[in-house]
Amino acid sequence: LKKRLKKDLTRPFADVFLHMVPMLRQLYTQYCENYERALSAYDRCKSSKAFVSFLGARQERTGRDFLSCLYLPIGRIIAYD
């Protein structure tokens, strides 16, 4: 490993990434499967003034609204597909 690190720093990263692909695929699949449930939960919670206030404060700080952040992982994969 030490020899490989001296020769090529990108290779160990690639090895780790390839090792993690099955876990990442499972994580993404679960995210997509739960996306509709997350939207339903959002619809239920947006009647709460505290929730709306919390999301508004986060949007001011980050410049992103909650729904766009929720969709971001799905949109990224579609863009690369």
Side-chain angles (χ1 to χ4, degrees), residues 2 20 27 46 49 67 81:
K2 287 181 182 180
M20 293 181 65
L27 183 65
K46 68 182 181 182
K49 289 182 182 182
L67 289 178
D81 193 18

Side-chain angles (χ1 to χ4, degrees), residues 28 31-32 35 68-78:
Y28 179 74
Y31 188 89
C32 291
Y35 182 75
S68 66
C69 291
L70 190 64
Y71 182 75
L72 193 60
I74 294 172
R76 291 281 167 93
I77 296 298
I78 290 171

Side-chain angles (χ1 to χ4, degrees), residues 56-68:
R58 295 303 161 273
Q59 183 173 352
E60 286 179 20
R61 197 175 93 205
T62 64
R64 294 185 178 177
D65 71 307
F66 178 76
L67 289 178
S68 66

